[in-house]
């Protein structure tokens, strides 16, 4: 699943190629059309397909940015300003290519779902093998209030204060620290892989409750989440199974993993254990983590 570093990488890949371009046309795959007809809301959420087109066709791409694991593309025409919001789910990806046939990865080419034809000769193509991702054309962010609850970006100064206050709330204080840091109202953009990797780096067992952690341990966890997300960005993200960035390239963060997806701990060589926490498969080293 693309997490913050992977999404950041996608944003950096697509932004220079789509900024300033106008969306000329939008095409949907049969799966998207059939999904709408059967009320399943496949990928395009919150509007009908016609309404999605009405809110995006003829609009110029003014700004592209990432918040947590979402990409926001601000678009406008003379009358209105809208936001195209994207979440990649498990296997979503964007490609910017002259034509669908230029996507070199067969599985992504086959599972294209939305094509934005731009006036600069490129197409912005959303592909998604498992179809858990979503695209929304919003008039403004109030139309999708869940994104307004996202914690500040982990790299900004107020993020630590926000995290410290949030984990002290009743909703999190008796929960495992892993559950807390996976929640985007606590820290934005820390998914399962990076949560596991941050906790081994902090030397903290994922199932310990927030209440049990000292002030120093809580700070340590936060710092390691920030470090591991930054390291992920610097390495172009982790490439697990079907994840590719917008250039069709794989990141190399998976080579830096200490426990995630490992049989033995990279730090000490002892067996890595697994446990389901917050519905996610959690990897940890009982030797390095206390
Ligand atoms: Zn270890």
């Amino acid at each position: 699943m693309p997490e913050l570093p992977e999404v950041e990488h996608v944003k950096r890949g697509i932004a220079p190629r789509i900024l300033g371009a106008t969306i000329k046309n939008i095409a949907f795959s049969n799966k998207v059309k059939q999904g709408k007809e059967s009320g399943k809301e496949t990928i395009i959420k919150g509007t009908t397909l016609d309404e999605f087109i009405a809110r995006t066709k003829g609009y110029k791409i003014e700004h592209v940015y990432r918040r947590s694991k979402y990409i926001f593309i601000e678009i406008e025409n003379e009358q209105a300003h809208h936001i195209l919001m994207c979440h990649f789910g498990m296997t979503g990806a964007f490609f910017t290519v002259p034509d669908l046939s230029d996507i070199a990865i067969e599985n992504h080419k086959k599972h294209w779902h939305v094509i934005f034809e731009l006036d600069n000769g490129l197409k912005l193509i959303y592909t998604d093998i498992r179809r858990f991702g979503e695209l929304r054309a919003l008039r403004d962010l109030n139309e999708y209030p869940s994104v307004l609850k996202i914690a500040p970006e982990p790299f900004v100064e107020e993020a630590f204060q926000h995290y410290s206050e949030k984990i002290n709330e009743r909703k999190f204080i008796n929960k495992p620290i892993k559950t807390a840091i996976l929640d985007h109202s606590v820290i934005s953009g820390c998914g399962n892989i990076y949560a596991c990797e941050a906790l081994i780096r902090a030397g903290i067992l994922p199932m310990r409750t927030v209440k049990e952690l000292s002030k120093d341990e809580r700070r340590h966890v936060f710092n390691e989440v920030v470090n591991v997300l930054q390291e992920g960005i610097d390495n172009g993200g982790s490439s697990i199974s079907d994840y590719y960035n917008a250039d069709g390239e794989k990141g190399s963060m998976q080579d830096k993993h200490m426990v995630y997806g490992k049989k033995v701990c990279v730090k000490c060589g002892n067996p890595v254990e697994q446990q389901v926490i917050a519905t996610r498969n959690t990897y940890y080293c009982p030797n390095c983590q206390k």
Side-chain angles (χ1 to χ4, degrees), residues 6-263:
E6 292 78 42
V7 177
E8 175 65 23
H9 212 74
V10 171
K11 186 216 76 184
R12 291 181 187 184
I14 64 170
R17 310 186 74 173
I18 66 171
L19 269 173
T22 295
I23 299 168
K24 279 194 340 192
N25 250 313
I26 297 109
F28 302 110
S29 69
N30 286 333
K31 287 276 183 216
V32 168
K33 291 181 201 163
Q34 288 156 4
K36 270 292 174 204
E37 279 160 21
S38 63
K40 269 198 306 199
E41 295 261 295
T42 306
I43 295 168
I44 302 291
K45 315 268 191 209
T47 56
T48 63
L49 299 186
D50 286 344
E51 180 65 17
F52 186 91
I53 290 171
R55 289 183 183 194
T56 55
K57 188 176 171 176
Y59 281 68
K60 186 176 172 196
I61 296 170
E62 294 287 345
H63 186 36
V64 182
Y65 65 100
R66 178 194 56 72
R67 270 289 280 131
S68 186
K69 291 182 258 184
Y70 294 89
I71 286 181
F72 294 95
I73 301 175
E74 293 188 359
I75 54 177
E76 62 184 41
N77 65 11
E78 274 150 30
Q79 285 82 45
H81 175 106
H82 292 157
I83 301 163
L84 192 54
M85 194 200 87
C86 173
H87 190 281
F88 294 108
M90 301 292 287
T91 54
F94 267 136
F95 293 85
T96 43
V97 283
D99 196 71
L100 180 63
S101 61
D102 296 310
I103 296 179
I105 304 151
E106 227 27 69
N107 221 7
H108 280 275
K109 193 192 307 181
K110 187 172 144 201
H111 295 276
W112 75 271
H113 292 294
V114 185
I115 299 179
F116 299 92
E117 190 186 342
L118 308 178
D119 69 348
N120 64 1
L122 291 174
K123 293 186 170 89
L124 174 67
I125 302 181
Y126 180 79
T127 68
D128 198 338
I129 294 154
R130 296 183 63 186
R131 301 193 297 275
F132 288 119
E134 58 182 79
L135 286 171
R136 292 172 189 266
L138 304 172
R139 278 192 288 246
D140 62 67
L141 292 183
N142 292 313
E143 271 193 345
Y144 191 60
S146 128
V147 297
L148 300 171
K149 292 188 198 128
I150 298 175
E153 282 295 295
F155 311 108
V156 304
E157 214 186 312
E158 62 267 32
F160 176 69
Q161 181 71 21
H162 176 90
Y163 155 88
S164 303
E165 288 170 13
K166 204 78 194 169
I167 55 175
N168 255 325
E169 289 178 5
R170 203 186 315 168
K171 185 176 170 196
F172 296 108
I173 192 81
N174 293 311
K175 292 270 170 65
I177 182 65
K178 165 107 190 295
T179 307
I181 61 176
L182 275 178
D183 193 295
H184 75 185
S185 71
V186 174
I187 298 182
S188 93
C190 182
N192 195 38
I193 297 175
Y194 290 90
C196 293
E197 289 298 315
L199 289 167
I200 173 98
R201 283 159 173 79
I204 305 284
L205 284 169
M207 60 292 282
R208 285 180 66 195
T209 62
V210 172
K211 196 171 57 185
E212 290 165 356
L213 299 185
S214 70
K215 217 175 153 192
D216 279 352
E217 286 175 322
R218 293 178 189 189
R219 178 179 278 278
H220 201 172
V221 168
F222 176 84
N223 289 344
E224 291 302 339
V225 169
V226 173
N227 289 342
V228 83
L229 289 173
Q230 186 59 56
E231 200 183 342
I233 291 174
D234 295 342
N235 285 284
S238 297
S239 300
I240 301 292
S241 67
D242 286 310
Y243 167 71
Y244 289 83
N245 66 36
D247 316 317
E249 285 169 2
K250 289 195 157 199
S252 62
M253 182 60 189
Q254 68 282 2
D255 302 336
K256 310 270 159 98
H257 290 179
M258 289 181 175
V259 282
Y260 187 86
K262 302 283 181 193
K263 293 248 179 330

